[in-house]
Amino acid sequence: MPGVAHPRRSVRLVALAAAGQLVASVCTAVVLQHSIATTVTPTRSRPVPALADTERSGSDRVGAVRALLRQRAAAVLAHDRERLLDTIDPAAAALRARQARLLDALRDVPLSGWTYSLDPSHAQPPSRGLDRRYGTWWAPDVSLHYALAGFDAAPTERQQGLTFVRRAGRWYLAADDDFRSHRTAYELWDGGSVVVARGASTLVLAHPDNGELVQLLLRETDAAVPRVTAVWGQRWAQRVVLVVPASEAELRRLLPDLGDLSQIAALATAELTHRGSGYHPVGDRVLIDPPNFARLGSLGRRVVLAHEVTHVASREATGPAVPTWLVEGLADYVGYHGLGVPLSTSAGELGAEVRAGQLPARLPADQAFAGNDPALAQVYEQSWLAVVLLARTYGEPALLRLYRTVGSGQPLAQVMMMQLDTTEAAFTVAWRDALRRELA
């Protein structure tokens, strides 16, 4: 039943799949992806200022806006244009037109839930400009919670930068873009019509012009899911949602806080939502950059999509104690698993350095995964080969047990000693020896 949910704070995780190297082979060009985990913490605005005498109690205002949000949620789920537009300020002609287009764009999206949460204890501070524009207005913290039927076990949470105004004793939505720091999160349906394609394990959301790419992604991701499950195990949903923007520009609107996206092939994202004992990932998505993804050959597509699906599969087990080299090394380990790709292709940059006498002294630190690092390809190759060495030396079950244990919050050094009877220092020596032996 649509309504206003309880407010929850969230942060976003992004595994950014940048095209770090272009490898030419006899019949294909493969752009090998690299992933960077980051978090974006939502901004908490200043407390609501004291109410004027004409609103001695905020309860009427809060109740009215909550009722408005419930009406909006019900209208979206029912695709009821008249009921949705009834919540919008009659003077906001541009917003009314955008909201009508939004409802049309959502027509085929399989929503199982759409609710809003309101936190009246936090709102945007006073503004003389908005006073002149609106008269009586209010911009509290609001979040949208939505879920895709059959794919989202729990709703994801997205910030809404909404401004409400009072007209003739009634509250309306007047704007969703008044504040630069309190902005409304952009979703694919904000950019126009959305087409939906379903596979055995995959849901693809795209714009109509990407129909051919949608079918390719559907086939490739459906094939990637069992490959990932064969390594990671069945302890994950085994369902993946792909989002395909029209362009890199729209990808940037979907992820406005990231840096240079010009070499991005795919990204895995999730919302970490606080409930109960801590943060839990919801709303896992794999985002595609169509122009860069089109540069991939068949091998590149298989590696990239399996890598990103691995991030989805392992998200629940990837706690803050897991070092980035292990997170990204595992994703590449699964991505390359069983493909027989030679080291001259999968570790070309690192191999060139090793042959030139430049052997890494230590496993990559988390800060080495910065997206603008010119040696990023080597960092990922180092990570992948470290995970390969773990699996080869101790067995794949031991590798996965170590990953899950560290993901539960135990320090890597302690887990390596308890489970593998080795130290980080000893493993690093063995890893450097393996690099020298296999890449020289």
Side-chain angles (χ1 to χ4, degrees):
M1 178 178 179
V4 178
H6 293 293
R8 298 181 302 183
R9 291 285 169 185
S10 71
V11 297
R12 166 167 270 204
L13 286 182
V14 180
L16 182 144
Q21 57 176 338
L22 181 63
V23 180
S25 67
V26 175
C27 59
T28 184
V30 182
V31 180
L32 298 179
Q33 90 296 348
H34 302 296
S35 301
I36 305 160
T38 63
T39 61
V40 180
T41 305
T43 303
R44 293 190 67 94
S45 51
R46 284 181 271 175
V48 177
L51 300 178
D53 290 341
T54 54
E55 262 186 290
R56 288 182 298 274
S57 170
S59 60
D60 290 345
R61 177 178 62 181
V62 172
V65 171
R66 281 192 166 134
L68 179 152
L69 292 172
R70 283 193 292 269
Q71 179 175 334
R72 285 181 57 78
V76 169
L77 290 174
H79 296 287
D80 188 332
R81 181 189 299 251
E82 182 178 352
R83 194 175 183 191
L84 180 68
L85 295 182
D86 182 59
T87 67
I88 300 173
D89 181 6
L95 178 62
R96 292 174 70 86
R98 288 205 315 273
Q99 291 286 291
R101 291 194 297 268
L102 169 67
L103 205 58
D104 291 340
L106 281 167
R107 187 167 303 280
D108 295 327
V109 177
L111 295 171
S112 60
W114 184 285
T115 64
Y116 296 94
S117 63
L118 167 66
D119 182 357
S121 67
H122 291 86
Q124 294 303 297
S127 164
R128 290 181 179 179
L130 294 186
D131 289 346
R132 289 191 295 269
R133 185 189 309 174
Y134 297 128
T136 301
W137 64 276
W138 187 38
D141 282 5
V142 175
S143 294
L144 165 66
H145 309 259
Y146 74 88
L148 300 175
F151 286 83
D152 289 339
T156 191
E157 177 180 339
R158 304 291 275 138
Q159 178 178 283
Q160 304 289 283
L162 307 181
T163 306
F164 303 95
V165 298
R166 193 172 59 182
R167 308 286 192 203
R170 181 182 170 188
W171 284 91
Y172 293 93
L173 174 63
D176 61 359
D177 56 1
D178 278 336
F179 306 96
R180 185 169 296 179
S181 63
H182 183 63
R183 60 192 173 205
T184 297
Y186 181 92
E187 296 287 353
L188 192 70
W189 39 81
D190 293 311
S193 298
V194 174
V195 295
V196 179
R198 296 176 178 84
S201 306
T202 308
L203 180 72
V204 183
L205 306 179
H207 294 306
D209 292 345
N210 279 324
E212 187 174 327
L213 176 58
V214 164
Q215 295 305 314
L216 172 64
L217 289 167
L218 203 63
R219 293 192 303 270
E220 296 282 4
T221 309
D222 269 351
V225 169
R227 284 186 59 216
V228 171
T229 301
V231 179
W232 178 254
Q234 298 187 1
R235 292 165 52 185
W236 70 290
Q238 299 177 54
R239 293 171 295 181
V240 181
V241 178
L242 273 72
V243 177
V244 187
S247 63
E248 183 185 312
E250 187 175 28
L251 179 61
R252 187 174 297 282
R253 295 193 71 185
L254 289 161
L255 294 167
D257 296 307
L258 293 185
D260 182 10
L261 300 179
S262 61
Q263 296 300 308
I264 301 307
L267 308 92
T269 74
E271 298 290 330
L272 285 187
T273 302
H274 189 274
R275 48 179 211 271
S277 58
Y279 281 99
H280 301 271
V282 297
D284 270 297
R285 305 285 185 262
V286 174
L287 278 70
I288 303 296
D289 185 336
N292 285 333
F293 195 85
R295 298 167 62 200
L296 299 171
S298 59
L299 174 61
R301 292 195 298 267
R302 294 183 71 185
V303 174
V304 165
L305 289 173
H307 179 115
E308 298 308 323
V309 172
T310 301
H311 283 308
V312 175
S314 61
R315 183 85 71 189
E316 189 77 45
T318 307
V322 185
T324 305
W325 71 261
L326 185 53
V327 174
E328 299 303 338
L330 178 72
D332 268 350
Y333 173 81
V334 178
Y336 284 115
H337 195 271
L339 298 183
V341 180
L343 285 175
S344 59
T345 296
S346 56
E349 282 81 1
L350 180 59
E353 286 192 350
V354 171
R355 288 189 294 275
Q358 301 174 37
L359 193 68
R362 60 187 63 83
L363 290 162
D366 289 351
Q367 57 267 31
F369 292 83
N372 58 358
D373 190 334
L376 191 59
Q378 293 91 317
V379 169
Y380 275 84
E381 290 162 6
Q382 293 169 23
S383 302
W384 169 57
L385 290 171
V387 171
V388 168
L389 179 61
L390 284 170
R392 189 167 57 201
T393 305
Y394 303 100
E396 200 169 88
L399 164 66
L400 299 177
R401 184 169 62 250
L402 176 139
Y403 191 100
R404 290 189 170 101
T405 305
V406 177
S408 71
Q410 297 188 40
L412 176 63
Q414 177 181 320
V415 176
M416 292 187 82
M417 180 59 70
M418 291 177 57
Q419 295 186 357
L420 307 181
D421 194 26
T422 191
T423 65
E424 284 188 86
F427 175 72
T428 300
V429 170
W431 167 71
R432 296 180 77 240
D433 287 344
L435 296 183
R436 185 185 298 106
R437 182 174 61 251
E438 297 184 24
L439 298 179

